Amino acid sequence: QQSSREYNMSFTTSPKVTVLIAHHNYQEYLGSAIESAKKQSYKNLQICIVDTSDDFESVKNIVGKNCYQYRC
């Protein structure tokens, strides 16, 4: 049974743009996808990762390394 999880990270004040990253079992690309979103010139971002992967702990570790604030 797969469930969906969301990770959010906020940067500054509004107006905020949400970057949505859909993820399913591609842990090797998730860190670079997060970094790419963080490198955008507009810094008032919320990155939302919707995860339906089989390996929640690996995804949680990747997100934890790339995000200063996240919520599961």
Side-chain angles (χ1 to χ4, degrees):
Q1 180 183 6
Q2 296 176 346
S3 63
S4 180
R5 300 168 201 81
E6 294 183 11
Y7 306 88
N8 292 297
M9 49 182 216
S10 299
F11 288 93
T12 59
T13 60
S14 57
K16 190 174 289 189
V17 171
T18 299
V19 176
L20 179 63
I21 299 173
H23 175 262
H24 180 76
N25 292 334
Y26 286 97
Q27 287 84 341
E28 63 268 23
Y29 303 112
L30 184 56
S32 61
I34 294 169
E35 287 302 315
S36 177
K38 287 168 54 177
K39 289 180 181 177
Q40 299 303 308
S41 59
Y42 189 78
K43 296 300 180 190
N44 191 11
L45 300 175
Q46 169 180 273
I47 300 172
C48 181
I49 302 165
V50 179
D51 172 40
T52 59
S53 69
D54 298 328
D55 190 359
F56 175 65
E57 288 303 314
S58 289
V59 171
K60 189 175 172 182
N61 289 335
I62 293 166
V63 171
K65 289 178 185 174
N66 289 282
C67 304
Y68 68 88
Q69 176 185 1
Y70 68 93
R71 173 180 77 200
C72 295

